[in-house]
Amino acid sequence: MPIRDLFMILSSFMAMIAGSFLPQLAEPLAFLPRICLMLLLYLGFLSVGTEALFAQARIMPGRILEFVVLRLAILPLFAFAVFQILMPSFALGALLVAASCVGVVAPVFSNMMRANTPFILVTCLVTSLLLPASLPSLLYVVDTGMQVLHIGKLPLPPDLTLSGMTVSLCITIIIPFVAAFVTRNQLPRATVFILRNQFPAALITNSLSTLSVFSQYAEVLHQDPSLVLHALGAALLLGLLMMIAGMGLPRSMPGKQRLAFLIGFGTMNNVLILILSMQFFAVNEALIAALYLIPLNALLLVYRACSHRWKLEA
């Protein structure tokens, strides 16, 4: 296994274990998940820039549109339908995590696997910027559709306002985007320095975020292990569904592009959904978002196998 893969996987799992056994860190590190997420978003936006967005949009607009529709609409509905049958108590959480934007570590994974990294960077940017509108809209459509079809109602909290969710998402996403835009255009030397050190910066930031998240749920992990096991099973099932969807991509698609789609499907911004869940939703939604960190990192092994199979490592 390449050393970067090993570092990424080990650092994430060590942070999970440390956080689970150090609940006393929960309060002092409570601010970290959102800050770390914004830093990771900043690194992702800094990598691509708006000029690359327009360049990729000219080169492959159809592929970008296809990915965005799959990623923000079709796959979340597919996951929600499966969970409604198999694990209905986690169906809302699965919908939220599956409908999140491409994870900010996806470009790091893509570089490691030699996938189409420019495409991943652009889709990370596009799905992140669309999320404040797409996620509340999807929740509204699913809730309305279930009521029209008389198959129940989406279990949304009674005090949830979709406009409040939109504002929260905008604050978390737009600030890093503006900061990255200013850095790229006004501080070229700083941009080069940061991008040269992107992997260790992402590694440290991701580990701190994971440590903070698991310390906040340490008491739940110890007091109700059966709930945690169910949530872990839900997270693993969600990762499996995303891989099944990715394996259904047409074989005529070039290997680098297929792997980019696969990484984009499996790498969700679960920390963003965790923050939303802590703010607006219940413990089931927060737990599946938190525990998706396990399949998110474990899927590196799947990406590496596909990279080797499709002969992308040369």
Side-chain angles (χ1 to χ4, degrees), residues 4 9 31 60 81 83 125 151 166 218 222 225 234 236 244 307 310:
R4 282 194 169 194
I9 293 172
F31 69 97
M60 50 177 64
F83 269 81
L125 173 61
I151 55 174
T166 300
H222 294 294
L236 294 174
I244 291 172
S307 180
W310 296 333

Side-chain angles (χ1 to χ4, degrees), residues 89-90 93 227 231 282-289:
S89 61
F90 288 97
L227 176 60
V283 66
N284 279 18
E285 288 73 54
L287 275 177
I288 188 174

Side-chain angles (χ1 to χ4, degrees), residues 12-223:
S12 296
F13 282 102
M14 287 174 66
M16 291 177 198
I17 294 169
S20 299
F21 288 96
L22 294 172
Q24 63 269 26
L25 295 177
E27 188 173 348
L29 301 182
F31 69 97
L32 267 184
R34 189 182 293 267
I35 295 298
C36 288
L37 173 63
M38 293 174 75
L39 285 172
L40 288 169
L41 282 168
Y42 171 77
L43 291 173
F45 293 150
L46 193 67
S47 298
V48 58
T50 53
E51 64 277 8
L53 171 62
F54 293 123
Q56 284 289 314
R58 287 194 299 269
I59 294 170
M60 50 177 64
R63 284 293 188 209
I64 293 173
L65 179 60
E66 176 187 12
F67 179 88
V68 169
V69 172
L70 284 169
R71 189 64 181 73
L72 297 182
I74 305 300
L75 291 182
L77 292 174
F78 166 62
F80 180 72
V82 173
F83 269 81
Q84 278 287 91
I85 298 169
L86 299 180
M87 302 185 74
S89 61
F90 288 97
L92 176 57
L95 177 67
L96 290 169
V97 177
S100 66
C101 52
V102 175
V104 288
V105 294
V108 180
F109 290 176
S110 183
N111 271 328
M112 292 161 60
M113 305 303 160
R114 301 184 185 274
N116 187 344
T117 301
F119 180 84
I120 282 287
L121 287 166
V122 170
T123 53
C124 183
L125 173 61
V126 172
T127 55
S128 296
L129 294 177
L130 288 176
L131 193 67
S134 67
L135 183 55
S137 299
L138 185 65
L139 291 176
Y140 174 79
V141 168
V142 172
D143 187 42
T144 304
M146 291 179 70
Q147 294 182 55
V148 169
L149 296 173
H150 303 289
I151 55 174
K153 187 178 180 182
L154 200 62
L156 298 173
D159 58 343
L160 173 68
T161 61
L162 296 182
S163 59
M165 183 190 299
T166 300
V167 171
S168 179
L169 287 168
C170 284
I171 291 171
T172 305
I173 293 169
I174 299 301
I175 290 175
F177 176 74
V178 172
F181 180 83
V182 171
T183 305
R184 283 183 68 90
N185 288 276
Q186 302 297 326
L187 302 167
R189 291 184 178 178
T191 301
V192 172
F193 175 79
I194 294 170
L195 292 180
R196 282 178 178 171
N197 297 280
Q198 183 183 30
F199 179 79
L203 189 72
I204 294 169
T205 306
N206 186 56
S207 298
L208 286 173
S209 175
T210 303
L211 175 68
S212 174
V213 165
F214 275 78
S215 67
Q216 292 183 47
Y217 286 92
E219 290 188 12
V220 177
L221 295 173
H222 294 294
Q223 292 176 4

Side-chain angles (χ1 to χ4, degrees), residues 18 23 57 94 133 152 166 190 193 235 263 270 291 300 302:
T166 300
F193 175 79
I263 292 172
N270 62 305
L291 291 171
L300 274 170
V302 177

